[in-house]
Amino acid sequence: MNAMSTEFAIAPISDEEVKAALDVAIAQIRRNLPDFTYKAQNHSSVNNVYPAVENDQWTAGFWPGQIWLAYEHTGDKVFRYAAQIHVQSFLHRIENRIATDHHDMGFLYSPTCVAAWKLVGDEDGRKAAILAADQLLDRFHPVGGFLQAWGAMGAPDNYRYIIDCLLNLPLLYWASRETGDTKYRDVALIHARTTLAHSVRPNDSTYHTFYMDPVTGGPVRGATKQGYSDDSEWARGQAWAIYGMALSYRYEPLPEYRDAFNRLLAFYVKRLPADLVPYWDLIFTDGDEPRDSSSASIVACGLLEMADIVGGEQADAYRLLARRMMKSLVDTYAVRDPSLSNGLVLHGTYSKKTPYNTCRGEGVDECVSWGDYYFMEALTRLARNWSTYW
Ligand code: GLY
């Protein structure tokens, strides 16, 4: 069945509802500025309240990204001022290599420093983002053709990449355009090709992580860290793959990216419950396992990104599905009472521990920082002709 032709009970969100949801989100972001201008926001909330932390997590870029989106909507200089304070923190972080020995340079530097350069011409933002792209290039293994996700470079137990890394590639495309040096783009293309070759299973679901052979560069095996088990379908991993393919297609319009986007999306949609917000792993389609609302926001962004690129009837179908997903998120998952939460969206899942995965178990059924960011990004994409940070 064509995923787009499926009947859904959820109505598409209207323009008025988008605007109202943005107003609620921007008010919450404004309310949070005193706590999170000189501090970072934790990756996930604790009892729906984010603690303030140092800027040393992979997720630290998502809160400043929300501030930039709020600035775009309001033009209010208080947002610009706060976001540029974060830019200085990110410049310090990359110059001093503070918790940067991993691949998440795009998650960190695109919504903060690339955004700062694009929106207000912040030179320190540009400098920091190029340093971050250089750091990401240092994670590239020509043997296997991939960017190593975690751990010491070349460590045999970490000779692997993860599906999430597709969202780090736009930083490399941006750096090539900005510097005129194709080395960044070349690595992004090789990494995307490796990901498509090995991480997408024959049934169009995805492995979270994939090990490569350090000697031959050949594929070894897929595994999970945060999904239910090695052979399950982690809901956020599938979402990173969907949005990641759309972004790859924007920068290099290769037919295999568009084809993969449609196949990954069809698998995802088949596993959605009636309210279009997945359980944290797509092996669950009903019952009382926690949801991952962030996965739905990420997919909505991917749908809207691909719609902008392809146009026509296909774009209308992508936008319609994104509007339905956002209606569900806004009506049932968004924070309405700021006395109960300082986040934007409830019911995200960072890492749920199972007997079959290797994560620690944290942020289950909580607000998650990227969930709030992509929720804002999706609303922004519905509200205006948005020029991407990615
Ligand atoms: N990139 C890690 C995660 O999605 O939890």
Side-chain angles (χ1 to χ4, degrees):
M1 187 196 301
N2 178 342
M4 297 298 104
S5 68
T6 309
E7 292 295 321
F8 299 113
I10 307 274
I13 195 168
S14 69
D15 290 344
E16 294 70 32
E17 288 167 324
V18 167
K19 185 175 174 322
L22 273 170
D23 288 346
V24 171
I26 290 167
Q28 183 77 310
I29 292 165
R30 190 185 291 280
R31 225 177 271 120
N32 281 335
L33 286 179
D35 288 337
F36 302 109
T37 293
Y38 294 96
K39 287 281 191 182
Q41 189 180 63
N42 197 45
H43 48 67
S44 47
S45 63
V46 178
N47 297 326
N48 292 326
V49 177
Y50 288 107
V53 294
E54 297 306 318
N55 180 0
D56 60 8
Q57 300 178 351
W58 72 270
T59 52
F62 296 116
W63 161 247
Q66 292 166 59
I67 304 177
W68 279 125
L69 291 170
Y71 173 66
E72 286 205 65
H73 286 289
T74 60
D76 188 335
K77 288 205 170 49
V78 73
F79 291 121
R80 172 178 172 166
Y81 181 70
Q84 287 189 280
I85 288 171
H86 282 285
V87 169
Q88 290 306 312
S89 169
F90 276 78
L91 178 61
H92 176 79
R93 180 168 174 176
I94 191 68
E95 283 185 331
N96 293 281
R97 298 291 188 271
I98 298 168
T100 55
D101 52 348
H102 57 79
H103 69 150
D104 280 329
M105 296 302 110
F107 281 127
L108 287 169
Y109 283 86
S110 295
T112 51
C113 294
V114 173
W117 170 242
K118 286 185 174 177
L119 292 175
V120 301
D122 186 320
E123 293 280 354
D124 283 342
R126 180 181 185 279
K127 179 177 166 189
I130 289 172
L131 286 172
D134 288 335
Q135 163 70 10
L136 183 51
L137 277 196
D138 287 346
R139 306 286 302 175
F140 182 64
H141 285 297
V143 178
F146 68 97
L147 292 155
Q148 185 181 321
W150 305 309
M153 277 301 281
D157 59 338
N158 254 321
Y159 207 78
R160 61 171 160 173
Y161 66 90
I162 70 175
I163 195 77
D164 325 29
C165 191
L166 291 173
L167 272 288
N168 290 319
L169 303 186
L171 180 69
L172 298 179
Y173 289 118
W174 171 83
S176 268
R177 289 191 178 177
E178 204 56 39
T179 62
D181 189 331
T182 58
K183 67 182 178 184
Y184 306 96
R185 167 187 171 274
D186 294 345
V187 161
L189 281 170
I190 295 169
H191 182 90
R193 189 170 64 213
T194 303
T195 305
L196 267 188
H198 307 306
S199 298
V200 183
R201 301 185 181 109
N203 72 350
D204 302 324
S205 67
T206 45
Y207 290 113
H208 177 196
T209 88
F210 205 94
Y211 288 94
M212 305 296 283
D213 187 308
V215 177
T216 66
V220 177
R221 70 183 171 95
T224 201
K225 181 175 178 189
Q226 288 160 267
Y228 180 80
S229 63
D230 286 350
D231 55 1
S232 74
E233 302 99 15
W234 182 43
R236 194 160 60 258
Q238 193 80 8
W240 292 138
I242 290 166
Y243 193 11
M245 277 299 115
L247 289 168
S248 286
Y249 191 64
R250 167 180 287 280
Y251 288 103
E252 294 288 338
L254 303 175
E256 55 265 39
Y257 292 164
R258 186 170 172 179
D259 176 57
F261 174 89
N262 284 319
R263 288 187 289 112
L264 293 159
L265 179 66
F267 182 89
Y268 186 85
V269 170
K270 272 190 290 190
R271 299 299 180 96
L272 289 178
D275 74 354
L276 305 181
V277 174
Y279 291 88
W280 70 281
D281 193 298
L282 300 174
I283 57 164
F284 304 113
T285 52
D286 57 23
D288 53 12
E289 284 288 329
R291 305 295 182 104
D292 182 14
S293 55
S294 74
S295 171
S297 291
I298 295 163
V299 169
C301 290
L303 287 162
L304 296 168
E305 173 71 31
M306 199 51 131
D308 284 349
I309 304 169
V310 301
E313 278 181 20
Q314 188 69 73
D316 293 342
Y318 293 150
R319 287 199 182 100
L320 186 58
L321 178 56
R323 278 188 182 270
R324 292 187 199 280
M325 294 174 86
M326 292 309 293
K327 171 81 173 161
S328 182
L329 288 168
V330 166
D331 283 0
T332 314
Y333 292 80
V335 171
R336 292 183 179 280
D337 179 352
S339 72
L340 299 180
S341 174
N342 59 0
L344 302 187
V345 190
L346 304 168
H347 307 304
T349 293
Y350 181 16
S351 294
K352 184 165 191 282
K353 182 79 194 114
T354 75
Y356 315 108
N357 70 21
T358 59
C359 70
R360 277 205 309 225
E362 52 193 338
V364 176
D365 197 19
E366 293 284 349
C367 305
V368 291
S369 195
W370 59 91
D372 289 356
Y373 170 80
Y374 288 107
F375 175 76
M376 267 292 277
E377 183 185 307
L379 290 174
T380 301
R381 286 173 174 275
L382 290 172
R384 55 167 53 209
N385 193 2
W386 186 64
S387 183
T388 186
Y389 306 159
W390 302 99

PDB file of all heavy atoms in Angstrom, residues 58 104 107 162 164 226 234 236 240 350-351 370, ligand 1:
ATOM      1  N   TRP A  58      25.693  16.025  23.806  1.00  0.00           N
ATOM      2  CA  TRP A  58      25.503  16.050  22.340  1.00  0.00           C
ATOM      3  C   TRP A  58      24.258  16.823  21.939  1.00  0.00           C
ATOM      4  O   TRP A  58      24.090  17.198  20.785  1.00  0.00           O
ATOM      5  CB  TRP A  58      25.451  14.626  21.776  1.00  0.00           C
ATOM      6  CG  TRP A  58      24.178  13.861  22.099  1.00  0.00           C
ATOM      7  CD1 TRP A  58      23.959  13.073  23.182  1.00  0.00           C
ATOM      8  CD2 TRP A  58      22.970  13.822  21.319  1.00  0.00           C
ATOM      9  NE1 TRP A  58      22.686  12.555  23.140  1.00  0.00           N
ATOM     10  CE2 TRP A  58      22.060  12.986  22.015  1.00  0.00           C
ATOM     11  CE3 TRP A  58      22.564  14.402  20.113  1.00  0.00           C
ATOM     12  CZ2 TRP A  58      20.775  12.720  21.548  1.00  0.00           C
ATOM     13  CZ3 TRP A  58      21.276  14.141  19.643  1.00  0.00           C
ATOM     14  CH2 TRP A  58      20.394  13.310  20.355  1.00  0.00           C
ATOM     15  N   ASP A 104      28.724  14.042  16.743  1.00  0.00           N
ATOM     16  CA  ASP A 104      27.501  14.849  16.736  1.00  0.00           C
ATOM     17  C   ASP A 104      27.743  16.346  16.532  1.00  0.00           C
ATOM     18  O   ASP A 104      27.045  17.188  17.117  1.00  0.00           O
ATOM     19  CB  ASP A 104      26.685  14.603  18.006  1.00  0.00           C
ATOM     20  CG  ASP A 104      25.876  13.314  17.885  1.00  0.00           C
ATOM     21  OD1 ASP A 104      25.481  12.983  16.752  1.00  0.00           O
ATOM     22  OD2 ASP A 104      25.658  12.648  18.906  1.00  0.00           O
ATOM     23  N   PHE A 107      24.519  18.070  14.954  1.00  0.00           N
ATOM     24  CA  PHE A 107      23.467  18.319  15.932  1.00  0.00           C
ATOM     25  C   PHE A 107      23.826  19.517  16.812  1.00  0.00           C
ATOM     26  O   PHE A 107      22.962  20.291  17.215  1.00  0.00           O
ATOM     27  CB  PHE A 107      23.269  17.096  16.834  1.00  0.00           C
ATOM     28  CG  PHE A 107      22.457  15.991  16.225  1.00  0.00           C
ATOM     29  CD1 PHE A 107      22.937  14.696  16.171  1.00  0.00           C
ATOM     30  CD2 PHE A 107      21.185  16.237  15.736  1.00  0.00           C
ATOM     31  CE1 PHE A 107      22.176  13.664  15.634  1.00  0.00           C
ATOM     32  CE2 PHE A 107      20.411  15.212  15.196  1.00  0.00           C
ATOM     33  CZ  PHE A 107      20.917  13.920  15.144  1.00  0.00           C
ATOM     34  N   ILE A 162      26.374   5.205  13.153  1.00  0.00           N
ATOM     35  CA  ILE A 162      24.979   5.045  13.571  1.00  0.00           C
ATOM     36  C   ILE A 162      24.068   5.846  12.628  1.00  0.00           C
ATOM     37  O   ILE A 162      24.503   6.810  11.990  1.00  0.00           O
ATOM     38  CB  ILE A 162      24.765   5.425  15.049  1.00  0.00           C
ATOM     39  CG1 ILE A 162      24.900   6.925  15.296  1.00  0.00           C
ATOM     40  CG2 ILE A 162      25.770   4.689  15.929  1.00  0.00           C
ATOM     41  CD1 ILE A 162      24.558   7.331  16.740  1.00  0.00           C
ATOM     42  N   ASP A 164      21.767   7.917  13.117  1.00  0.00           N
ATOM     43  CA  ASP A 164      21.574   9.317  13.508  1.00  0.00           C
ATOM     44  C   ASP A 164      22.523  10.267  12.772  1.00  0.00           C
ATOM     45  O   ASP A 164      22.239  11.446  12.606  1.00  0.00           O
ATOM     46  CB  ASP A 164      21.808   9.503  15.014  1.00  0.00           C
ATOM     47  CG  ASP A 164      21.369   8.342  15.880  1.00  0.00           C
ATOM     48  OD1 ASP A 164      21.392   7.195  15.391  1.00  0.00           O
ATOM     49  OD2 ASP A 164      21.034   8.559  17.043  1.00  0.00           O
ATOM     50  N   GLN A 226      19.992   1.958  21.506  1.00  0.00           N
ATOM     51  CA  GLN A 226      18.804   2.521  22.162  1.00  0.00           C
ATOM     52  C   GLN A 226      17.487   1.899  21.729  1.00  0.00           C
ATOM     53  O   GLN A 226      16.449   2.243  22.282  1.00  0.00           O
ATOM     54  CB  GLN A 226      18.764   4.030  21.919  1.00  0.00           C
ATOM     55  CG  GLN A 226      19.821   4.794  22.708  1.00  0.00           C
ATOM     56  CD  GLN A 226      20.092   6.144  22.110  1.00  0.00           C
ATOM     57  OE1 GLN A 226      21.001   6.309  21.300  1.00  0.00           O
ATOM     58  NE2 GLN A 226      19.294   7.130  22.479  1.00  0.00           N
ATOM     59  N   TRP A 234      14.008   0.784  16.082  1.00  0.00           N
ATOM     60  CA  TRP A 234      13.998   1.946  16.984  1.00  0.00           C
ATOM     61  C   TRP A 234      13.303   3.109  16.267  1.00  0.00           C
ATOM     62  O   TRP A 234      13.704   3.510  15.168  1.00  0.00           O
ATOM     63  CB  TRP A 234      15.438   2.297  17.345  1.00  0.00           C
ATOM     64  CG  TRP A 234      15.612   3.434  18.286  1.00  0.00           C
ATOM     65  CD1 TRP A 234      14.908   3.704  19.425  1.00  0.00           C
ATOM     66  CD2 TRP A 234      16.605   4.460  18.182  1.00  0.00           C
ATOM     67  NE1 TRP A 234      15.392   4.826  20.044  1.00  0.00           N
ATOM     68  CE2 TRP A 234      16.434   5.319  19.303  1.00  0.00           C
ATOM     69  CE3 TRP A 234      17.625   4.745  17.266  1.00  0.00           C
ATOM     70  CZ2 TRP A 234      17.237   6.439  19.513  1.00  0.00           C
ATOM     71  CZ3 TRP A 234      18.426   5.843  17.478  1.00  0.00           C
ATOM     72  CH2 TRP A 234      18.235   6.689  18.590  1.00  0.00           C
ATOM     73  N   ARG A 236      13.100   6.347  16.757  1.00  0.00           N
ATOM     74  CA  ARG A 236      13.818   7.586  16.406  1.00  0.00           C
ATOM     75  C   ARG A 236      14.871   7.324  15.342  1.00  0.00           C
ATOM     76  O   ARG A 236      15.139   8.175  14.505  1.00  0.00           O
ATOM     77  CB  ARG A 236      14.416   8.253  17.626  1.00  0.00           C
ATOM     78  CG  ARG A 236      14.837   9.672  17.321  1.00  0.00           C
ATOM     79  CD  ARG A 236      14.987  10.558  18.525  1.00  0.00           C
ATOM     80  NE  ARG A 236      15.976  10.097  19.466  1.00  0.00           N
ATOM     81  CZ  ARG A 236      15.703   9.468  20.604  1.00  0.00           C
ATOM     82  NH1 ARG A 236      14.448   9.238  20.948  1.00  0.00           N
ATOM     83  NH2 ARG A 236      16.652   9.082  21.413  1.00  0.00           N
ATOM     84  N   TRP A 240      15.374   9.514  12.124  1.00  0.00           N
ATOM     85  CA  TRP A 240      16.626  10.141  11.652  1.00  0.00           C
ATOM     86  C   TRP A 240      16.895   9.734  10.201  1.00  0.00           C
ATOM     87  O   TRP A 240      17.371  10.544   9.393  1.00  0.00           O
ATOM     88  CB  TRP A 240      17.808   9.719  12.524  1.00  0.00           C
ATOM     89  CG  TRP A 240      17.858  10.199  13.946  1.00  0.00           C
ATOM     90  CD1 TRP A 240      18.224   9.452  15.030  1.00  0.00           C
ATOM     91  CD2 TRP A 240      17.612  11.528  14.459  1.00  0.00           C
ATOM     92  NE1 TRP A 240      18.199  10.219  16.177  1.00  0.00           N
ATOM     93  CE2 TRP A 240      17.835  11.496  15.860  1.00  0.00           C
ATOM     94  CE3 TRP A 240      17.218  12.729  13.868  1.00  0.00           C
ATOM     95  CZ2 TRP A 240      17.672  12.614  16.682  1.00  0.00           C
ATOM     96  CZ3 TRP A 240      17.056  13.846  14.690  1.00  0.00           C
ATOM     97  CH2 TRP A 240      17.279  13.788  16.063  1.00  0.00           C
ATOM     98  N   TYR A 350      14.154   9.131  25.457  1.00  0.00           N
ATOM     99  CA  TYR A 350      15.568   9.199  25.072  1.00  0.00           C
ATOM    100  C   TYR A 350      16.114   7.781  24.925  1.00  0.00           C
ATOM    101  O   TYR A 350      16.418   7.337  23.813  1.00  0.00           O
ATOM    102  CB  TYR A 350      16.330  10.002  26.131  1.00  0.00           C
ATOM    103  CG  TYR A 350      17.812  10.188  25.863  1.00  0.00           C
ATOM    104  CD1 TYR A 350      18.359   9.954  24.607  1.00  0.00           C
ATOM    105  CD2 TYR A 350      18.662  10.623  26.877  1.00  0.00           C
ATOM    106  CE1 TYR A 350      19.714  10.137  24.362  1.00  0.00           C
ATOM    107  CE2 TYR A 350      20.013  10.814  26.638  1.00  0.00           C
ATOM    108  CZ  TYR A 350      20.535  10.565  25.391  1.00  0.00           C
ATOM    109  OH  TYR A 350      21.873  10.743  25.164  1.00  0.00           O
ATOM    110  N   SER A 351      16.223   7.061  26.050  1.00  0.00           N
ATOM    111  CA  SER A 351      16.844   5.729  26.028  1.00  0.00           C
ATOM    112  C   SER A 351      16.111   4.834  27.004  1.00  0.00           C
ATOM    113  O   SER A 351      16.205   5.044  28.221  1.00  0.00           O
ATOM    114  CB  SER A 351      18.303   5.824  26.476  1.00  0.00           C
ATOM    115  OG  SER A 351      19.072   6.548  25.558  1.00  0.00           O
ATOM    116  N   TRP A 370      15.687  17.646  21.721  1.00  0.00           N
ATOM    117  CA  TRP A 370      15.530  17.637  20.261  1.00  0.00           C
ATOM    118  C   TRP A 370      14.057  17.512  19.879  1.00  0.00           C
ATOM    119  O   TRP A 370      13.651  18.010  18.826  1.00  0.00           O
ATOM    120  CB  TRP A 370      16.355  16.507  19.622  1.00  0.00           C
ATOM    121  CG  TRP A 370      15.968  15.168  20.141  1.00  0.00           C
ATOM    122  CD1 TRP A 370      15.040  14.319  19.633  1.00  0.00           C
ATOM    123  CD2 TRP A 370      16.469  14.539  21.328  1.00  0.00           C
ATOM    124  NE1 TRP A 370      14.916  13.199  20.436  1.00  0.00           N
ATOM    125  CE2 TRP A 370      15.788  13.310  21.471  1.00  0.00           C
ATOM    126  CE3 TRP A 370      17.416  14.888  22.284  1.00  0.00           C
ATOM    127  CZ2 TRP A 370      16.033  12.434  22.538  1.00  0.00           C
ATOM    128  CZ3 TRP A 370      17.660  14.023  23.348  1.00  0.00           C
ATOM    129  CH2 TRP A 370      16.979  12.814  23.458  1.00  0.00           C
TER     130      TRP A 370
HETATM  131  N1  GLY B   1      21.257  10.713  18.527  1.00  0.00           N
HETATM  132  C1  GLY B   1      20.933  10.025  19.713  1.00  0.00           C
HETATM  133  C2  GLY B   1      19.487   9.906  19.931  1.00  0.00           C
HETATM  134  O1  GLY B   1      18.688  10.149  19.035  1.00  0.00           O
HETATM  135  O2  GLY B   1      19.104   9.541  21.033  1.00  0.00           O
END
